[in-house]
Amino acid sequence: MNGPMEGIRVVELGVWVAGPCAGMILADWGAEVINVEPPGGDPYREIFSVSAGVEVETNPPFEMDNRGKRSITVDISKPEGAAIVAELAAEADVFVTNARVPALKRAGLDYEDLATRNPRLIYARVTGFGEDGPDRDRAAYDVGAFWARSGVGASLTPDGSEPPFQRGGMGDHLTGLALASGIAGALFSRERTGRGQMVSTSLLRSGIYFMGFDINTVLRLGFAWPPQTRRTLGNPLMSSFRTGDNRWFWLIGLEADRHWPKLCRAVDRTDWLEDPRLANVASRAKHASELYDALDEIFAGSSLDEWAARLDEQDVWWAPVQTTEEVTADPQAHAAGAFTGVPLPDGTSALMVASPVDYSADSWSVKRPAPENGEHTDEVLEAAGIDETRRTELRKRGVIG
């Protein structure tokens, strides 16, 4: 098998990231995914050159979220175009979309419309703010619904600071992963019941789940954890420090009393073990500022490589604060399967970020690169019974590309 979803047929009607990245995950896992693009193509095809401010030959974010798919160009604002998509969905296992609900209803591509024709269909939808409520039809990107409105941005903004910017697609990728897992659950249910259903998630809900540590505390106890800086934590064993070669690393001694003796030995301050001011978590919190000063001075005295050896020798838990360039060169990231080879049109292969799940029996590999807009229109529609004469007529009227 080429992944656990081999034999599953997916029709994807989406743009940008949250819907398409769910389709990409299913394609990675072996599903046949047909990506329905508008006449001008998914606007995400152009965003990288605009964001980067330079002319580039490839669009790495788009390549990642659309690899493994076939692309057809259809104008669903025209009745004949919407009918083509409905016909494809009638023969599919899964329909994935992040199009806005009013547009889907106008086109006759809402859940009720497609489920009537295909009761076994898994209809999977991403919205910005959910299926119900006063803002259910409000437009959203993940920076609005996931980052800003769900509390993520504010939780990372200390008093007096400006809200930090989200990195591209963070909320989208989390939400797409949630949708893919929901689809897998719905397919499992269908095996038992023979019945399809709608699976839905939203950028807002994913953001709130992402913030569950903080938000559940508000729900249960009525108070919020304030945004932290590296020196406001009462436990310095869970903070970051800079080394003498201007590198950062993070101590991850969450069980502070357990890890405290090991740290004292690693930094050659065993005298701290006899200091009553530093006897336990509570007493160290009272003197945290002094402890931060001392540790800052100590860690600034040697390079990261030197500290890595000393911390590991004493079994002190830590992690380097890596740049994205360092991540791509990290042997552990490669060993963990974080990257996968993707075939390119010229017959070569490119290394890209892998979807984050592997299977011991149903191993997967990427079948094809991200398609050109409408690259497979004729191929897919021919298989759907629309002959060349009919396709020529549809092209003349702008229904297909």
Side-chain angles (χ1 to χ4, degrees):
M1 290 184 65
N2 185 26
M5 291 288 178
E6 186 175 32
I8 296 297
R9 294 200 290 180
V10 180
V11 174
E12 175 194 303
L13 179 66
V15 294
W16 296 105
V17 187
C21 75
M24 175 273 287
I25 293 170
L26 300 179
D28 272 5
W29 294 347
E32 174 195 348
V33 181
I34 299 170
N35 179 16
V36 182
E37 297 195 57
D42 184 341
Y44 195 36
R45 288 182 176 275
E46 308 299 327
I47 192 63
F48 189 73
S49 60
V50 175
S51 298
V54 295
E55 291 293 330
V56 290
E57 295 181 359
T58 62
N59 182 334
F62 182 86
E63 288 179 322
M64 172 185 168
D65 292 318
N66 290 277
R67 65 181 181 229
K69 305 174 187 178
R70 293 188 290 169
S71 169
I72 66 174
T73 305
V74 181
D75 187 350
I76 67 165
S77 70
K78 293 180 167 62
E80 287 176 294
I84 289 172
V85 176
E87 185 174 342
L88 293 173
E91 301 298 323
D93 297 288
V94 181
F95 182 80
V96 174
T97 185
N98 64 333
R100 294 170 69 181
V101 176
L104 292 167
K105 289 182 176 179
R106 288 194 301 271
L109 297 174
D110 200 11
Y111 170 61
E112 290 76 11
D113 301 312
L114 299 187
T116 299
R117 298 185 61 178
N118 182 359
R120 288 176 53 81
L121 182 69
I122 307 304
Y123 187 106
R125 180 157 69 197
V126 174
T127 63
F129 298 101
E131 295 288 335
D132 300 299
D135 290 337
R136 65 182 183 181
D137 296 330
R138 190 179 182 91
Y141 291 108
D142 65 340
V143 72
F146 171 89
W147 184 260
R149 192 157 181 179
S150 75
V152 178
S155 74
L156 299 175
T157 309
D159 287 345
S161 299
E162 297 178 348
F165 273 87
Q166 175 193 286
R167 306 304 294 182
M170 286 174 60
D172 289 318
H173 285 146
L174 177 68
T175 304
L177 184 60
L179 190 67
S181 66
I183 290 167
L187 287 169
F188 177 73
S189 175
R190 192 182 71 175
E191 287 298 303
R192 295 180 297 161
T193 67
R195 182 188 65 244
Q197 59 183 301
M198 186 167 84
V199 178
S200 66
T201 187
S202 68
L203 293 164
L204 176 64
R205 186 162 168 183
S206 293
I208 291 171
Y209 178 75
F210 182 77
M211 287 295 298
F213 184 103
D214 291 81
I215 292 177
N216 221 51
T217 300
V218 174
L219 290 172
R220 296 289 288 127
L221 299 176
F223 71 83
W225 293 92
Q228 302 287 348
T229 65
R230 61 174 294 267
R231 289 181 64 104
T232 58
L233 290 169
N235 174 17
L237 276 70
M238 275 296 292
S239 194
S240 58
F241 295 90
R242 182 158 50 188
T243 62
D245 54 348
N246 203 31
R247 299 288 304 282
W248 287 89
F249 71 95
W250 218 286
L251 289 177
I252 48 177
L254 184 59
E255 299 175 73
D257 285 339
R258 172 186 173 188
H259 295 281
W260 174 244
K262 298 178 181 181
L263 177 66
C264 292
R265 289 191 290 269
V267 299
D268 198 23
R269 289 299 304 267
T270 53
D271 59 299
W272 284 349
L273 296 173
E274 308 302 323
D275 191 332
R277 298 173 304 161
L278 307 175
N280 53 45
V281 174
S283 60
R284 287 194 295 275
K286 292 179 182 177
H287 300 278
S289 180
E290 302 164 56
L291 192 52
Y292 276 112
D293 288 341
L295 288 171
D296 280 344
E297 182 177 354
I298 290 170
F299 286 128
S302 298
S303 70
L304 180 61
D305 287 345
E306 292 171 310
W307 280 117
R310 292 172 66 175
L311 295 172
D312 285 345
E313 183 181 5
Q314 297 298 330
D315 191 30
V316 176
W317 297 0
W318 69 281
V321 178
Q322 297 198 131
T323 65
T324 51
E325 294 92 341
E326 289 168 335
V327 171
T328 62
D330 187 338
Q332 184 56 46
H334 286 265
F339 310 107
T340 187
V342 177
L344 297 180
D346 63 5
T348 62
S349 179
L351 202 63
M352 296 189 191
V353 175
S355 50
V357 177
D358 287 321
Y359 299 85
S360 63
D362 301 326
S363 61
W364 59 266
S365 61
V366 180
K367 297 189 291 292
R368 57 173 63 91
E372 296 296 324
N373 181 27
E375 179 180 342
H376 304 96
T377 301
D378 287 311
E379 174 186 317
V380 170
L381 297 189
E382 178 76 29
I386 301 175
D387 62 24
E388 185 176 359
T389 301
R390 179 67 173 150
R391 296 197 303 273
T392 300
E393 294 175 359
L394 292 170
R395 277 199 174 92
K396 287 180 179 178
R397 297 202 301 275
V399 177
I400 65 174

